[in-house]
Amino acid sequence: MPSKKDAVVYAKYPNAVISPLIAKKKSTKGQKIFGNLLGFLTDAPFGTDEVFNQIADAHNAYYLVEQEGKQIMVTVTEDFIESRVMAKEIVGNKFEIGEYVYPPATVEYE
């Protein structure tokens, strides 16, 4: 069942192919070291730094919209919707933009 953020994107792009994305923020070198040390020194699982990054970005939703031969990266937050036409075509199942990695989600809305 689509969420409110899904509904906002679908309403803005009714005739487009909309692919929800999962955004994973890349950890800095310092965060990786801290996460590994935490894993060695405590019972905390390794990769704790990735968990902290996911929690910090949990309120945003990301979509790749394909409409009229263009790919549009859409970010929906609690306050706004941001749409950016991609300069390069995204191909493949996984891609990176800035400090985020986007593996594909399993749901597509048309």
Side-chain angles (χ1 to χ4, degrees), residues 12-79:
K12 183 167 179 161
Y13 301 101
N15 299 319
V17 175
I18 300 169
S19 301
L21 301 170
I22 299 168
K24 294 185 178 183
K25 191 171 184 179
K26 293 188 280 187
S27 298
T28 64
K29 188 174 182 178
Q31 289 171 323
K32 288 179 184 178
I33 291 170
F34 175 75
N36 287 335
L37 282 175
L38 195 61
F40 282 122
L41 301 175
T42 68
D43 290 335
F46 287 91
T48 305
D49 57 312
E50 291 181 16
V51 173
F52 291 130
N53 283 339
Q54 294 302 321
I55 291 170
D57 197 41
H59 298 293
N60 296 340
Y62 301 91
Y63 305 86
L64 182 62
V65 175
E66 297 188 42
Q67 179 177 329
E68 298 175 1
K70 294 185 221 171
Q71 290 182 321
I72 305 164
M73 182 70 167
V74 179
T75 305
V76 182
T77 68
E78 296 296 323
D79 301 322

